[in-house]
Amino acid sequence: MQGRPEAKYIIPIRSEADRLETLIKDLLTFGRPAPPQPVEFDLRGFFESLGELMAQQFEDGHATLGLQVPQVMVTWDARQTEQMFMNLLQNAIQSMQDKGGGTVTVTARTEADRVIIDVCDVGAGIRDEDKPKMFTPFFTTKEHGTGLGLPISQKIASFHNGVITYQSTEGTGTTFTVNMQRIINPSV
């Protein structure tokens, strides 16, 4: 194929196909989320594994992952929880790229039957005019974003009797806080 005039179109076509595949997956997840299938797992081990899974993204974004997560057992849908935290960690990594990287810090604590997890970055922060739209489907500030990562994450948190909130200062960074029930039942 190399040397042929149409060869120059292969990489852009593949890139666009990958982007469309991601968009379709996000649309399906947002439109028809599966009910949670809770399993018990250790939260610290979960984040350690997630850090390994995302190691290349952290490296590419010149970012590091700082974990301050105790060993605590939770009963959540592991696949959905992974998607939610991957979305938050990807956003954190991307927000720090213009600053040359930094550390994404994940902290966790328990309060009664709740687990509160903070995902903090030292990135660009969220502009005041964008704050009311952060969980609005299809709103994005990214060139190649779908605008579905945060709405999907919020929906996943709600399936776990939880909520996602955030605090952000433009130019300083953002902290997303996930507050979820420690043990969910399949019927929740």
Side-chain angles (χ1 to χ4, degrees):
M1 190 78 185
Q2 197 169 8
R4 296 179 65 182
E6 57 272 7
K8 66 181 177 183
Y9 299 109
I10 297 298
I11 291 176
I13 288 171
R14 283 186 181 157
S15 176
E16 189 63 13
D18 290 345
R19 189 187 69 76
L20 289 172
E21 179 182 17
T22 300
L23 176 61
I24 289 168
K25 285 179 182 176
D26 285 350
L27 284 169
L28 289 172
T29 300
F30 185 73
R32 277 186 300 153
Q37 297 180 353
V39 295
E40 186 178 53
F41 59 90
D42 171 55
L43 195 59
R44 179 162 183 84
F46 167 83
F47 276 109
E48 288 171 347
S49 296
L50 191 56
E52 291 171 13
L53 180 66
M54 297 182 68
Q56 189 62 53
Q57 291 178 54
F58 275 94
E59 185 178 324
D60 292 346
H62 305 287
T64 57
L65 177 61
L67 292 179
Q68 298 170 13
V69 179
Q71 288 188 305
V72 58
M73 298 305 288
V74 295
T75 303
W76 295 340
D77 183 304
R79 187 189 59 76
Q80 288 181 358
T81 305
E82 179 181 271
Q83 180 179 10
M84 176 177 63
F85 284 110
M86 279 183 82
N87 287 340
L88 295 176
L89 291 170
Q90 286 170 344
N91 287 351
I93 293 166
Q94 291 168 356
S95 77
M96 297 188 304
Q97 284 179 329
D98 289 343
K99 290 184 149 188
T103 298
V104 179
T105 304
V106 177
T107 60
R109 65 190 183 283
T110 58
E111 291 181 8
D113 68 338
R114 314 289 297 174
V115 177
I116 296 103
I117 300 161
D118 293 324
V119 178
C120 306
D121 67 60
V122 293
I126 300 170
R127 298 181 318 182
D128 287 340
E129 60 266 27
D130 292 339
K131 288 179 180 180
K133 305 176 244 179
M134 293 310 297
F135 293 101
T136 302
F138 306 108
F139 173 75
T140 185
T141 59
K142 300 174 191 167
E143 183 179 340
H144 298 290
T146 64
L148 290 172
L150 286 175
I152 288 170
S153 296
Q154 186 70 281
K155 192 173 274 196
I156 290 168
S158 72
F159 286 159
H160 292 77
N161 291 329
V163 65
I164 300 175
T165 58
Y166 66 91
Q167 292 184 336
S168 184
T169 303
E170 192 172 350
T172 303
T174 302
T175 298
F176 277 90
T177 300
V178 179
N179 182 331
M180 298 197 311
Q181 189 171 316
R182 192 174 66 80
I183 298 172
I184 65 163
N185 298 315
S187 59
V188 171

